[in-house]
Amino acid sequence: AVNEQALRMLVGFAQQQAALQGFEALPLFCLYSPHGPVFRAMLTVHRARARHPDLSRSYRLVHTCAACGQHAPVPWPDLGQVSCTSCGAP
């Protein structure tokens, strides 16, 4: 779970830096391999349609269930209405 969060932070930072330069960065895939350890992320980068693209539509937060410990990405608008996809706990 910590490794997934590290990749999410890496991709988020890349998106933030791209937006500052007038680009959009969209993740294609992310990989963590414990031997090494190896963190890899592939993003596609293109000019933004707007000078300051709205990244809030792509923001996700990691929800950790207090009951079972399962992690799941949660869109920003759904933040207050989350229930665990694994055990159903609020």
Side-chain angles (χ1 to χ4, degrees), residues 6-70:
L7 282 168
R8 288 178 182 276
M9 289 174 61
L10 175 68
V11 169
F13 181 74
Q15 287 180 317
Q16 178 188 40
Q17 294 301 307
L20 289 173
Q21 301 297 320
F23 293 92
E24 288 183 326
L26 301 172
L28 297 177
F29 78 90
C30 294
L31 169 76
Y32 168 75
S33 182
H35 72 282
V38 176
F39 293 87
R40 294 198 176 150
M42 179 181 280
L43 293 91
T44 180
V45 179
H46 59 275
R47 285 221 177 267
R49 285 174 243 129
R51 175 64 182 132
H52 299 286
D54 180 20
L55 296 177
S56 64
R57 63 184 162 78
S58 63
Y59 283 154
R60 302 285 187 271
L61 301 172
V62 178
H63 172 259
T64 304
C65 178
C68 70
Q70 180 70 25

